[in-house]
Amino acid sequence: QLQLVESGGGLVQPGGSLRLSCTASGFSLRYYALGWFRQAPGKEREGVACITVSGGSTHYADSVKGRFTISRDNAKNTLYLQMSNLKPEDTAQYYCIADYYPGSSVCTLLSRYDYRGQGTQVSVSS
């Protein structure tokens, strides 16, 4: 079965950290641009971060710049999102996405995607 599976969400206090993981099964992430988006109840979907096929370039939403870091490990077929200095407004369901884009050197926040994970909940509260 071809799928993305996220993990690492949870409840954390403001100022805390979490690392989300997204592992692909049934296919290789090697030729995919990857990203994360989030959606909170009653709010628009927001592109959080993306990383190019090579991993050489990343982009972040202004709301998370300097606090979140996206990375990929093709050998482990896994995408990561390291989140630090978390704020209550970061509370949302987080989804990873994969966009088949071999040879590309760009990525786009909230891009089209071929695969999307089931989501993992991140809650920031004291």
Side-chain angles (χ1 to χ4, degrees):
Q1 188 175 2
L2 309 180
Q3 61 180 352
L4 296 172
V5 179
E6 297 108 333
S7 61
L11 174 63
V12 63
Q13 292 185 341
S17 300
L18 282 175
R19 188 176 81 157
L20 305 184
S21 299
C22 171
T23 300
S25 63
F27 69 104
S28 172
L29 292 177
R30 189 173 303 276
Y31 302 111
Y32 290 77
L34 305 173
W36 294 90
F37 73 86
R38 64 188 181 186
Q39 188 158 27
K43 292 188 177 181
E44 293 284 322
R45 193 174 62 170
E46 179 187 18
V48 173
C50 70
I51 186 167
T52 56
V53 172
S54 69
S57 182
T58 56
H59 297 283
Y60 298 91
D62 288 343
S63 58
V64 307
K65 206 169 289 184
R67 300 188 297 121
F68 289 12
T69 302
I70 189 172
S71 62
R72 63 190 296 162
D73 186 337
N74 288 342
K76 294 183 178 180
N77 220 21
T78 300
L79 170 71
Y80 301 100
L81 185 68
Q82 178 67 49
M83 306 184 293
S84 303
N85 191 20
L86 282 160
K87 304 175 181 181
E89 51 264 43
D90 294 317
T91 295
Q93 189 82 349
Y94 283 71
Y95 300 87
C96 61
I97 57 174
D99 177 16
Y100 185 70
Y101 213 166
S104 170
S105 60
V106 299
C107 71
T108 305
L109 293 179
L110 212 60
S111 70
R112 61 165 298 281
Y113 54 85
D114 297 287
Y115 298 98
R116 191 203 77 179
Q118 83 288 353
T120 186
Q121 178 67 33
V122 172
S123 299
V124 185
S125 174
S126 54

